[in-house]
Amino acid sequence: MSEERRLEVLRAIVQDYVGTREPVGSRMLVERHSLGVSPATIRNDMAALEELGYIAQPHTSAGRVPTDKGYRAFVDQISTLKPLSVAERRAIQNLLDEAVDLDDVVERTVRLLAHLTHQVAVVQYPSLTRSALRHLELVPLSPQRLLVVIITDAGRVEQRVVETAQEVDPGVVAELRARLNVACVGRRLEAIKGPLAALPEQFAPEQRALVEAVSDQVLDTLRMESEERIVMAGTANLARSDVDFTRTIGPVLEALEEQVVLLRLFSEMEEDTVAVRIGAENHHEGLVEASIVASAYGGEDASEGVARLGILGPTRMDYPGTMAAVRAVARYLSRILAG
């Protein structure tokens, strides 16, 4: 059996099983696909695929279903993703363009992704530690209180109040605002530590306490990991897929409730345009029958993304369609945040 034909037969099995939920037999393959070989040859090919662990026979059924290894081989041979339809792309653009702030963008994105894929959608909020500064603003609230506004390139806005022992000089505030933006804008956390540490020396001794307090607030805000969080939508889609789990969806739902589990899985996924983890590759007992398709967003490429978004569903899913939807939504979201 040639490698090329083996992959062709495997691809046909995956497509039919995803579409019908029924184990696939050789007769079905002959009827539905132009494989160019005899039924006997297809049966031999299927026997070889089963021996290699790409397909398996559930119960006493005459048909075969893909294994995790089979799905992985299928996904790995997807060289190009079919673009979404014009209507789908327009729907994505229209929905996200109407968002009014970052929270609205994230909420719209997760609902959109769940609708497009009919799976559970997960969107991670932009990470402060991986974001670059877009602008820093200082707003006097009273003679001894200063509001520090931190705006990242991912559209995230954080506000902190600095209390001072002496009255704030408006001229000093204006100078500090200008120097902070020169030192920090366009840079990430690691790149601004040095410039901020050197900033107090650029001011008179009596002004340095204020400069240090503001600098500390900026660094502390960007270091925060407690605000790493995710938003989910489409859990009902998982319930409708209950037949795809040989056990129950209970372990999957429990894993979804633990945000730290999903955040860890996101962080472990490859820095590809679209990454796919199948079944046992998730290294979590509750997700051994689930797959995750994810992509980074918020950067010029996957390696520079500030967060991830993706879907979670049963291993029996439309991988090409799901991967295309995840990629498209990630690109639109990146474009909006960059604007």
Side-chain angles (χ1 to χ4, degrees):
M1 177 178 65
S2 71
E3 178 77 12
E4 184 177 347
R5 193 176 73 241
R6 182 182 72 187
L7 290 175
E8 190 175 358
V9 172
L10 176 62
R11 181 167 56 249
I13 292 173
V14 171
Q15 291 172 343
D16 282 1
Y17 181 60
V18 168
T20 67
R21 280 197 175 101
E22 297 293 333
V24 181
S26 58
R27 179 179 299 178
M28 182 184 297
L29 293 179
V30 171
E31 293 175 351
R32 295 185 177 181
H33 303 273
S34 301
L35 296 173
V37 293
S38 67
T41 299
I42 291 178
R43 286 193 292 272
N44 290 336
D45 289 347
M46 293 179 68
L49 285 169
E50 184 173 10
E51 184 176 350
L52 291 168
Y54 291 104
I55 58 176
Q57 183 177 28
H59 311 299
T60 57
S61 166
R64 303 295 187 272
V65 300
T67 62
D68 285 1
K69 183 178 179 181
Y71 283 126
R72 169 51 60 192
F74 173 79
V75 168
D76 287 347
Q77 68 170 317
I78 299 175
S79 57
T80 57
L81 296 179
K82 180 182 177 181
L84 300 184
S85 68
V86 173
E88 288 172 324
R89 295 199 301 271
R90 186 180 297 115
I92 294 174
Q93 183 173 1
N94 291 342
L95 183 66
L96 297 186
D97 281 349
E98 294 174 356
V100 297
D101 56 27
L102 180 61
D103 289 336
D104 194 20
V105 168
V106 172
E107 290 290 344
R108 286 170 179 264
T109 299
V110 75
R111 286 188 281 109
L112 173 66
L113 201 52
H115 175 73
L116 287 173
T117 64
H118 306 292
Q119 306 289 359
V120 178
V122 182
V123 177
Q124 179 186 14
Y125 261 79
S127 169
L128 283 173
T129 56
R130 300 189 67 183
S131 299
L133 272 294
R134 178 181 292 174
H135 182 69
L136 287 167
E137 186 60 55
L138 302 180
V139 182
L141 300 177
S142 70
Q144 293 178 303
R145 299 177 74 231
L146 191 65
L147 178 66
V148 182
V149 183
I150 302 168
I151 306 173
T152 73
D153 60 354
R156 191 161 174 174
V157 179
E158 297 290 332
Q159 300 181 358
R160 300 291 182 269
V161 175
V162 173
E163 302 280 353
T164 65
Q166 57 188 20
E167 289 192 10
V168 176
D169 184 334
V172 174
V173 172
E175 182 182 359
L176 179 55
R177 179 192 302 115
R179 291 184 180 275
L180 280 169
N181 280 286
V182 169
C184 300
V185 168
R187 299 182 179 182
R188 293 187 178 180
L189 173 63
E190 292 302 317
I192 68 173
K193 289 180 178 178
L196 286 182
L199 200 57
E201 296 300 321
Q202 301 175 28
F203 289 81
E206 65 272 14
Q207 300 165 353
R208 290 174 185 172
L210 172 63
V211 177
E212 290 173 354
V214 172
S215 297
D216 288 344
Q217 282 288 3
V218 173
L219 288 175
D220 289 345
T221 301
L222 293 178
R223 285 195 191 103
M224 283 190 313
E225 296 181 359
S226 59
E227 292 196 17
E228 297 289 359
R229 59 193 179 99
I230 58 176
V231 177
M232 287 185 292
T235 307
N237 292 328
L238 193 65
R240 286 191 284 270
S241 301
D242 192 21
V243 294
D244 292 313
F245 299 95
T246 58
R247 296 181 293 178
T248 68
I249 63 172
V252 182
L253 292 173
E254 290 175 5
L256 286 174
E257 289 178 356
E258 300 180 45
Q259 290 200 3
V260 65
V261 171
L262 295 177
L263 287 169
R264 176 180 58 79
L265 291 173
F266 269 6
S267 68
E268 292 175 352
M269 296 186 78
E270 301 81 358
E271 296 288 4
D272 295 334
T273 303
V274 180
V276 181
R277 295 277 286 269
I278 300 170
E281 295 174 358
N282 291 308
H283 305 299
H284 188 283
E285 183 179 359
L287 300 177
V288 294
E289 294 183 291
S291 288
I292 298 175
V293 180
S295 176
Y297 73 87
E300 293 183 2
D301 56 49
S303 64
E304 296 183 355
V306 297
R308 285 186 173 273
L309 59 79
I311 67 91
L312 183 147
T315 54
R316 188 201 69 85
M317 71 165 61
D318 173 15
Y319 286 99
T322 300
M323 292 166 69
V326 167
R327 181 187 64 176
V329 173
R331 287 180 173 178
Y332 274 103
L333 183 54
S334 297
R335 202 172 304 162
I336 288 174
L337 295 180

